[in-house]
Amino acid sequence: MALFEAVHLHKRFGSRVVLEDVSLAFEAGKVSGIMGPNGAGKTTTFNILTGRFAPDRGAIRFEGRDIAGRPPHAIARMGIARSFQLMTLFDESVVVENVMLALPAFRAAQTRVATDVFADKALMDEAREVLALVGLGHRAFQKAKDLSYGERRALEIGVALAADPKILFLDEPTSGLGAEATRSLAALVRRLRERFTIVMIEHDMRFLFELADEISVIHWGQVIAHGTPSELMANKWVRRSALAEVA
Amino acid sequence: MISLSDVPARPGAVITPQIVLFAAVLLTAPFWLPMVGLYQYIGVEVAIWILYALGFNLLFGYAGLHSFGHGAYFGVGAYAFGLFQQEVAVSLWGGLLAAIAAACIAGMVVGAFLSHRRGIYYALMTIAFGQMFWFTAIKAHGVTGGEDGLLGIPRPPADFGIVSFDLSDNTSLFYFVVAVLLVVTIGLWRLVHSPFGRVLQALRQSETRAAFVGIHVWAVKWAVFALSAAIAGLAGGLFSMAQQSAYPDVMSLHQSGFIVMMTLIGGGLVSFWGPVLGVALYFVARDVLGSLTETWLLWYGLMFMIVVMLRPEGLAGAIHLLSERLRAPRARAAGQPAE
Ligand SMILES: Nc1ncnc2c1ncn2[C@@H]1O[C@H](COP(=O)(O)OP(=O)(O)OP(=O)(O)O)[C@@H](O)[C@H]1O
Ligand SMILES: [Mg+2]
């Protein structure tokens, strides 16, 4: 059985149907990709899978438990982490604090009102380890808002990673990155895939086809194709949209 | 520029130079207040309002939850203290505990309604609840004494078992209030750097991200509202003791507005100490400007508008900027890059 499974998800906003029968399954230890044109419903799918919205219909199973409709914090605590397409960081806080806030150990310490987080060596060390993983070790005491765009993208991932998640959802991690930053992100994903189950939405086809074990294509709120990168390369629709991307 | 979320200069320090300075200024106040032409009672009032403002800023500045009806909890504390003296027993500790508990419970109830709201809706709800408390205080004549309020509230002695301090004169009451204030200040200073305090600041910056890293946003918002209300209640209890009366005006919308103005002018959005400066400035303005002109509030209001428009970081931010400017040329002269 898949680690994470969504079956027959439906979602409408007002009269607008955004997801119409979306079923997805993500296997443990794999990198799964989701692609599709703008407005297809990819982010909405993530929002439903991670608890931002409840689906109108359908089930979401994680490790066999139905989690549909549970609030985001409860889902996050089960080990489901995500990054955001529109970067959502704690801008006024320093980089190491951004990561620290997401540590399970930090959550456990939330009621310890006499601990100074910056004097807590265990928390700091753990947060710094995460920063080292995403290549931000040298920026630990910069404010998040003072980072470069690429560094902020890396921090988005770092915050998600800090939870030590069982499954990691990345919403367009390459968006806005230049060629070099995209390459180093690919290297990061390759390192992460050893330890984490990853699901990512991507517009960058080359990036996705290189890294994903399997890919689902969402269009008009439906999964219109699913398969390994090589299977999808043979798919007519995918080829056409891939060409559109290049043109 | 400074911000509330800066890394503290000395992580883990319980007593900082600022706390020492704060304590020194307060503890010596009875000596220097008359020298600068002020009177003892203003010290009591200032200390109480600083207590109120520091607790308020935990909510307003740190958590970014904009309450415009906080006078309600100050008032609940004031009435609870008075009613305890009149109905239960003449006891300082009992009265203060009643004040804290009543305001905390009120905060817990109201917080339960507020905590799933954000932004302007949150603010409007705090006003609505504030008005309800104010209205109730005026109408519940049998309990609160209506518009006249509760009169003749005693100042019970501070009884520590072996020793007991009389608090009936303003100087001894001042020292008692300062002792309470310092304990709360050190506690709050710890709290804002604790995991709980950092979570508050995370909420201010992004409730969305906070929820998705596993923070129970509703529960934290509820808890900080109740805590802030409890501190307001403590301040209110001390205030009714200082005034020897409790009256509905402290719960009114304009009084709730004052605490917001003090916090903002002082720089509560960027500094722990902002509310302290703001309260001090307000009382100086009231007494110094007030002795010159009856329209002092107009000038104070104008000052508020200028700060909000031009210097949202308030007095604390301005002082910080000034000290940076003063330091920078010296650092350059010493051959070091300016920070
Ligand atoms: N909260 C919401 N309320 C109303 N409509 C929404 C909401 N969120 C998304 N939509 C609509 O649902 C549709 C799908 O949006 P979604 O963000 O899921 O697309 P996407 O596939 O992620 O697109 P992109 O590639 O541009 O990120 C869009 O038409 C969008 O306007
Ligand atoms: Mg999207």
Side-chain angles (χ1 to χ4, degrees):
Chain A
M1 197 187 56
L3 174 70
F4 195 108
E5 228 179 349
V7 282
H8 305 310
L9 294 182
H10 290 253
K11 181 72 190 175
R12 54 165 60 192
F13 290 115
S15 62
R16 204 196 136 97
V17 177
V18 177
L19 297 188
E20 193 178 348
D21 197 21
V22 167
S23 295
L24 295 161
F26 309 120
E27 302 283 341
K30 296 239 164 103
V31 176
S32 306
I34 292 177
M35 49 185 265
N38 291 113
K42 304 180 297 297
T43 298
T44 304
T45 302
F46 265 26
N47 283 339
I48 290 174
L49 299 185
T50 58
R52 190 173 207 170
F53 308 126
D56 296 334
R57 260 182 293 151
I60 304 169
R61 277 189 285 273
F62 175 60
E63 296 180 320
R65 273 184 296 175
D66 189 357
I67 62 164
R70 294 212 198 170
H73 65 90
I75 291 182
R77 289 176 189 191
M78 293 173 188
I80 299 170
R82 70 171 291 179
S83 74
F84 291 87
Q85 181 175 358
L86 288 175
M87 280 189 279
T88 311
L89 296 167
F90 304 119
D91 280 325
E92 286 286 321
S93 300
V94 295
V95 168
V96 70
E97 187 178 355
N98 269 266
V99 167
M100 193 151 47
L101 283 159
L103 296 171
F106 182 91
R107 202 151 61 231
Q110 240 183 94
T111 47
R112 292 208 321 253
V113 291
T115 313
D116 187 322
V117 296
F118 291 105
D120 189 313
K121 199 171 170 322
L123 285 177
M124 285 295 272
D125 287 350
E126 213 183 314
R128 279 172 165 282
E129 241 172 72
V130 176
L131 289 183
L133 190 61
V134 295
L136 288 175
H138 60 299
R139 303 291 262 163
F141 287 98
Q142 304 289 318
K143 296 210 164 202
K145 63 174 181 192
D146 295 333
L147 297 185
S148 73
Y149 184 87
E151 288 171 327
R152 286 169 58 80
R153 278 266 161 230
L155 183 56
E156 261 295 330
I157 297 176
V159 174
L161 279 180
D164 194 18
K166 292 179 185 153
I167 185 163
L168 179 61
F169 289 93
L170 303 177
D171 194 345
E172 297 199 25
T174 70
S175 133
L177 293 185
E180 192 177 330
T182 304
R183 264 196 301 282
S184 68
L185 183 65
L188 173 63
V189 173
R190 254 182 236 108
R191 262 178 285 144
L192 296 180
R193 66 183 305 159
E194 310 290 323
R195 282 172 49 193
F196 299 98
T197 303
I198 300 174
V199 183
M200 56 186 182
I201 296 174
E202 253 312 325
H203 275 301
D204 183 333
M205 305 271 251
R206 200 192 294 156
F207 182 86
L208 193 62
F209 277 58
E210 197 179 297
L211 293 166
D213 298 302
E214 49 169 11
I215 295 170
S216 302
V217 183
I218 295 184
H219 196 17
W220 287 323
Q222 290 177 316
V223 180
I224 58 161
H226 173 86
T228 62
S230 47
E231 281 165 4
L232 283 183
M233 277 316 251
N235 180 300
K236 217 167 33 171
W237 187 90
V238 178
R239 279 232 300 280
R240 208 170 26 189
S241 69
L243 285 177
E245 196 110 328
V246 174
Chain B
M1 202 56 238
I2 49 171
S3 99
L4 289 176
S5 297
D6 289 345
V7 178
R10 295 162 200 76
V14 179
I15 305 290
T16 66
Q18 285 89 339
I19 293 177
V20 173
L21 179 67
F22 180 54
V25 170
L26 284 172
L27 292 170
T28 55
F31 302 101
W32 57 259
L33 276 178
M35 288 185 222
V36 294
L38 292 167
Y39 48 99
Q40 295 299 345
Y41 183 72
I42 195 175
V44 178
E45 257 189 309
V46 167
I48 290 172
W49 279 74
I50 289 176
L51 178 63
Y52 178 19
L54 284 173
F56 177 71
N57 202 41
L58 191 65
L59 184 73
F60 195 92
Y62 280 92
L65 297 172
H66 298 156
S67 170
F68 292 98
H70 235 52
Y73 314 99
F74 186 86
V76 165
Y79 283 115
F81 184 90
L83 288 171
F84 192 90
Q85 307 310 316
Q86 293 177 354
E87 308 293 330
V88 184
V90 174
S91 155
L92 177 69
W93 308 120
L96 290 181
L97 271 181
I100 295 170
C104 186
I105 291 168
M108 282 154 82
V109 172
V110 173
F113 289 94
L114 290 176
S115 298
H116 59 281
R117 311 248 168 213
R118 295 191 204 191
I120 187 77
Y121 300 101
Y122 189 96
L124 288 175
M125 298 262 292
T126 60
I127 294 177
F129 277 105
Q131 293 295 90
M132 274 165 58
F133 278 98
W134 173 70
F135 191 74
T136 309
I138 290 176
K139 293 295 167 191
H141 211 279
V143 184
T144 62
E147 304 254 15
D148 303 331
L150 297 178
L151 301 174
I153 295 173
R155 290 184 180 180
D159 191 350
F160 291 93
I162 17 173
V163 277
S164 175
F165 298 98
D166 179 59
L167 300 181
S168 51
D169 76 284
N170 284 335
T171 308
S172 52
L173 180 62
F174 172 76
Y175 279 116
F176 177 73
V177 173
V178 166
V180 173
L181 172 59
L182 289 176
V183 169
V184 173
T185 302
I186 291 170
L188 283 174
W189 178 256
R190 297 297 298 162
L191 188 75
V192 299
H193 296 106
S194 76
F196 180 77
R198 300 317 280 199
V199 164
L200 294 182
Q201 303 179 50
L203 294 194
R204 180 189 73 227
Q205 299 180 56
S206 172
E207 284 192 13
T208 304
R209 177 55 104 168
F212 283 94
V213 299
I215 291 166
H216 194 324
V217 173
W218 188 94
V220 176
K221 283 166 83 169
W222 177 79
V224 68
F225 192 84
L227 178 59
S228 170
I231 295 171
L234 172 61
L238 292 167
F239 190 66
S240 72
M241 196 170 143
Q243 298 268 305
Q244 298 188 273
S245 61
Y247 40 85
D249 186 53
V250 293
M251 298 172 120
S252 67
L253 187 58
H254 78 266
Q255 285 284 341
S256 291
F258 281 141
I259 195 72
V260 177
M261 288 208 255
M262 292 181 210
T263 302
L264 282 176
I265 292 187
L269 296 186
V270 300
S271 164
F272 180 85
W273 299 104
V276 175
L277 300 174
V279 171
L281 184 73
Y282 170 85
F283 280 95
V284 169
R286 189 189 73 178
D287 283 32
V288 176
L289 282 181
S291 68
L292 300 176
T293 161
E294 273 187 22
T295 57
W296 74 274
L297 252 179
L298 179 73
W299 299 104
Y300 182 75
L302 213 60
M303 195 154 69
F304 173 71
M305 279 172 53
I306 291 171
V307 166
V308 167
M309 287 191 301
L310 301 179
R311 291 242 83 93
E313 63 278 11
L315 265 183
I319 290 173
H320 174 78
L321 205 66
L322 203 68
S323 73
E324 292 273 274
R325 292 233 173 105
L326 290 177
R327 210 172 320 162
R330 251 185 293 156
R332 235 173 282 137
Q336 285 162 350
E339 268 183 79

